Amino acid sequence: VKAALEQAVAFTVRAQNREGGWRYEPQPQLADVSVTVAQMMALRAARNAGLFVRKSVVDAGVDFLKSCQQPDGGFGYTRGQMPYSMFARSAASLVGLFSAGLYAGPPVDRGLRYVM
């Protein structure tokens, strides 16, 4: 099972785009909050299972999520497109940040205020 999981992690890493996020197709061109959060959770699960995940991959995912945060503290769907906050994607973005081990700080605090 470990070899298959390592291949899955490698696949996920290859699909990450330059902005640090992921999209529905495994081609590193575009990214959105929903798929990025799912991938961040998958990488956290892989790390919890003892697999190696480069910190730079996780950090890039965090940077992408932070770049989607709006002035009101919520999160937009992508960077630049649909730049308005919505509850579900804001709550999910917080889960993505938590999956990376980011539990406090200005982006988390602002996001929590928006969700509350």
Side-chain angles (χ1 to χ4, degrees):
V1 173
K2 184 178 181 185
L5 293 174
E6 287 172 339
Q7 288 179 341
V9 169
F11 178 81
T12 297
V13 170
R14 283 192 308 274
Q16 189 176 33
N17 80 349
R18 283 179 267 138
E19 294 177 328
W22 290 266
R23 189 72 172 184
Y24 295 98
E25 297 292 327
Q27 296 143 3
Q29 296 168 349
L30 301 172
D32 70 69
V33 162
S34 61
V35 178
T36 297
V37 169
Q39 296 299 342
M40 297 289 284
M41 291 171 61
L43 292 172
R44 176 60 178 258
R47 286 179 54 203
N48 288 350
L51 296 165
F52 174 74
V53 177
R54 286 192 330 262
K55 184 178 182 320
S56 62
V57 172
V58 174
D59 289 348
V62 166
D63 289 343
F64 174 76
L65 290 175
K66 286 180 179 179
S67 75
C68 293
Q69 193 166 37
Q70 302 302 306
D72 63 3
F75 290 80
Y77 185 60
T78 61
R79 199 186 313 185
Q81 293 180 327
M82 291 191 232
Y84 52 88
S85 300
M86 292 196 67
F87 176 82
R89 70 173 156 245
S90 298
S93 294
L94 288 169
V95 170
L97 296 174
F98 294 165
S99 294
L102 188 63
Y103 304 109
V108 171
D109 296 342
R110 291 176 53 231
L112 287 170
R113 275 194 300 277
Y114 175 85
V115 169
M116 298 302 282

